[in-house]
């Protein structure tokens, strides 16, 4: 057993022995109110693609600084610390090492490792780091694994809010995460199960957390724990956007997930490989009907810019996707209205990468689009469209997903897009006006290339 949680106990033992004052929390949120917390798809930065499980406080702050200076005005706002921020000696690719040094409090709740997050000293958790992010006009998020820490179970630590119940009374080894063994499953109908989830979200609310990504929860689909989590957030008194990971989220659970989460992954991790983009296009076909305000099918993080600085997939590098492939990825993510969570190290961005994140017309489509639908996906050709109810603009993405040949793609302006007569067509990334068009709109694209059009009368 690792002893590091004991260092936190020493300073709290007297308080714990005397009892803890009852917390005064706001009234629980009304059912479904969580959808109002993400009425447009969340946009932000996540540390996973560049730092894996090893990100440190100064790196989080540097990315927050960059976002505030360069991206905030375009709608980017979340700064998310990804996996295992509670492990003192983690390293990229170091999952399940036998010498992991976890940091927990006296109630079996993970706390930030102070050697990586110095402002967490003296039991402050992420409060000061969240305050720093908030001071920039941004929002702060964290990643957690579902379940209860193994160390909390092994040491029979008490569940806060469940008098007399300890962690070893609420767990099961069944359905334990296959790829990371830090936690056990929480058995939803056990006394103390809801109280444990309540306790961690109460803690996150006290830190000022605005966004929580929960891993190992949608494949397979852990319905009982998802319901515990929804209730825990709704009782904590703070709006916390809920992201479920990884995919593939089962389509048969679509109605359930949209009533419990703000976003959910459609696939496993997306990296800088063309095959990951084509796989996304395939899986996305089931999810178009579920794109709606407050609840978003999620294409995963954006693996662009400088990634794998200390990451999980290959050496430190700028993305391996070509510029055409990067445009294609952004065209898919934006017209599909996926949450946009940039995975690269923001301060390392070059001008081209920054341009992909700051195109006002493309982001307007992402923010205001509706009625997203795929027109076709056949013979290596893909057409996706959406509609802006505020402006009357129709958006169209055309993608050549073939590997070896240029292809002509076309849509009917009348039969496919509902126009009659002559329309005006604008290429959205450059703002180039293509003039008046009528009948069929056609373009020839190189392999892996795409275009994004705005069409209006």
């Amino acid at each position: 057993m690792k002893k590091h949680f004991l260092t936190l106990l020493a300073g709290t033992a007297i308080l714990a022995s005397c009892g803890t004052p009852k917390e005064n929390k706001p009234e629980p949120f009304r059912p479904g109110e969580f959808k109002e917390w993400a009425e447009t798809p969340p946009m932000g930065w996540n540390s996973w693609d560049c730092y894996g499980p090893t990100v440190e406080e100064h790196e989080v702050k540097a990315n927050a600084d960059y976002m505030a200076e360069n991206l905030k005005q375009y709608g980017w706002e979340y700064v998310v610390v990804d996996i295992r921020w509670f492990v003192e000696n983690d390293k990229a690719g170091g999952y399940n090492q036998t010498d992991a040094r976890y940091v927990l409090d006296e109630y079996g709740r993970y706390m930030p490792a102070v050697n990586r997050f110095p402002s967490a000293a003296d039991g402050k958790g992420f409060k000061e780091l969240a305050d720093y992010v908030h001071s920039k006009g941004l929002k702060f998020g964290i990643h957690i694994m579902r379940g209860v820490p193994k160390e909390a179970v092994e040491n029979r630590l008490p569940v806060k809010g469940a008098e007399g119940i300890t962690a070893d009374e609420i767990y099961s080894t069944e359905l334990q995460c296959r790829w990371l063994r830090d936690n056990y499953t929480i058995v939803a109908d056990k006394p103390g199960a809801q109280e444990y989830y309540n306790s961690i979200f109460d803690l996150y609310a006290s830190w000022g957390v605005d966004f929580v990504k929960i891993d190992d929860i949608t494949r397979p689909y852990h319905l009982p724990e998802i319901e515990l989590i929804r209730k825990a957030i709704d009782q904590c008194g703070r709006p916390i956007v809920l992201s479920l990971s990884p995919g593939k989220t089962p389509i048969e659970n679509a109605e359930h997930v949209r009533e419990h989460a703000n976003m959910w992954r459609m696939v496993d991790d997306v990296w800088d490989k063309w095959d990951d983009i084509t796989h996304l296009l395939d899986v996305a076909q089931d999810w178009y009907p579920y794109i709606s305000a407050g609840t978003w099918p999620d294409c995963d993080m954006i693996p662009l810019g400088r990634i794998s600085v200390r990451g999980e997939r290959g050496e430190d590098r700028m993305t391996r996707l070509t510029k055409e492939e990067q445009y294609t990825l952004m065209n898919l993510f934006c017209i599909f209205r996926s949450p946009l969570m940039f995975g690269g190290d923001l301060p390392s961005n070059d001008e081209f990468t920054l341009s992909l994140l700051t195109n006002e017309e493309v982001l307007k489509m992402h923010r205001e689009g509706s009625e997203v639908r795929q027109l076709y996906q056949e013979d290596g050709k893909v057409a996706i469209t959406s509609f802006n109810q505020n402006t009357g603009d129709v958006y169209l993405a055309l993608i050549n997903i073939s590997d070896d040949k240029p292809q002509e793609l076309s849509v009917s302006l009348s039969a496919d897009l509902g126009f009659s007569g002559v329309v005006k067509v604008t290429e959205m990334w450059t703002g180039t006006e293509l003039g008046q068009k009528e009948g069929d709109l056609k373009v020839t694209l190189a392999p892996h290339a795409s275009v994004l059009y705005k069409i209006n009368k």
Side-chain angles (χ1 to χ4, degrees), residues 95-367:
Y95 287 169
N96 300 316
Q97 74 267 37
T98 57
D99 64 341
R101 297 196 303 270
Y102 304 102
V103 184
L104 293 85
D105 74 359
E106 70 270 29
Y107 296 108
R109 302 176 297 184
Y110 288 125
M111 300 291 286
V114 174
N115 63 322
R116 293 168 54 195
F117 300 94
S119 70
D122 302 319
K124 292 192 295 291
F126 275 130
K127 181 68 169 66
E128 289 193 5
L129 182 54
D131 287 348
Y132 182 87
V133 172
H134 293 156
S135 74
K136 300 284 180 176
L138 305 172
K139 296 180 179 179
F140 179 70
I142 60 173
H143 169 290
I144 65 172
M145 300 295 295
R146 69 173 177 89
V148 60
K150 289 172 62 176
E151 283 206 358
V153 171
E154 292 165 1
N155 293 290
R156 300 182 178 181
L157 297 181
V159 174
K160 187 173 184 181
E163 186 174 354
I165 295 176
T166 51
D168 57 301
E169 299 177 77
I170 65 171
Y171 87 105
S172 171
T173 58
E174 294 183 11
L175 297 176
Q176 186 183 16
C177 179
R178 295 179 180 179
W179 48 269
L180 182 57
R181 301 283 179 167
D182 293 340
N183 288 6
Y184 289 127
T185 296
I186 289 179
V187 182
D189 59 359
K190 291 277 191 180
Q194 185 65 65
E195 288 82 356
Y196 182 77
Y197 271 117
N198 289 354
S199 77
I200 64 172
F201 279 95
D202 289 348
L203 180 65
Y204 305 155
S206 75
W207 291 344
V209 170
D210 305 295
F211 179 102
V212 172
K213 171 185 173 183
I214 301 187
D215 219 330
D216 187 50
I217 200 161
T218 55
R219 182 183 54 82
Y221 193 77
H222 293 272
L223 187 151
E225 284 193 78
I226 290 171
E227 293 186 349
L228 293 179
I229 291 160
R230 178 75 268 143
K231 292 175 183 175
I233 296 174
D234 288 346
Q235 64 80 52
C236 80
R238 183 177 181 84
I240 297 177
V241 169
L242 176 60
S243 167
L244 303 183
S245 184
K248 180 180 181 180
T249 301
I251 191 66
E252 56 265 29
N253 294 112
E255 292 298 338
H256 185 268
V257 74
R258 74 192 308 193
E259 294 305 320
H260 291 81
N262 296 105
M263 48 190 278
W264 56 89
R265 286 269 291 282
M266 298 187 298
V267 295
D268 281 338
D269 288 4
V270 170
W271 283 95
D272 51 337
K273 302 184 299 180
W274 176 249
D275 288 350
D276 285 0
I277 299 174
T278 56
H279 178 58
L280 259 178
L281 282 162
D282 287 341
V283 173
Q285 294 181 80
D286 288 335
W287 289 104
Y288 286 94
Y290 299 98
I291 301 169
S292 62
T295 55
W296 308 103
D298 180 12
C299 289
D300 192 26
M301 283 175 285
I302 300 170
L304 304 184
R306 184 187 178 195
I307 60 177
S308 207
V309 178
R310 296 192 304 277
E312 296 297 302
R313 300 291 190 279
E315 299 299 318
D316 184 349
R317 63 186 182 278
M318 296 298 285
T319 185
R320 291 176 293 209
L321 295 172
T322 67
K323 286 189 175 181
E324 290 290 359
E325 291 169 343
Q326 292 179 62
Y327 277 123
T328 296
L329 182 147
M330 290 300 295
N331 287 341
L332 169 59
F333 277 53
C334 289
I335 199 167
F336 186 81
R337 304 195 74 199
S338 171
L340 301 180
M341 289 290 168
F342 189 79
D345 178 60
L346 288 172
S348 302
N349 277 353
D350 56 19
E351 287 300 315
F352 174 72
T353 304
L354 180 60
S355 75
L356 294 175
L357 308 182
T358 56
N359 185 293
E360 292 183 350
E361 282 294 309
V362 174
L363 293 176
K364 181 181 179 69
M365 175 193 69
H366 176 256
R367 184 172 60 253

Side-chain angles (χ1 to χ4, degrees), residues 377-405:
Q377 183 173 169
E378 58 190 15
D379 301 325
K381 306 174 186 180
V382 180
I384 306 167
T385 186
S386 68
F387 174 66
N388 190 320
Q389 295 179 337
N390 298 324
T391 64
D393 295 330
V394 171
Y395 304 112
L396 175 67
L398 298 173
I399 307 171
N400 179 6
I401 60 174
S402 70
D403 293 325
D404 55 4
K405 59 181 180 180

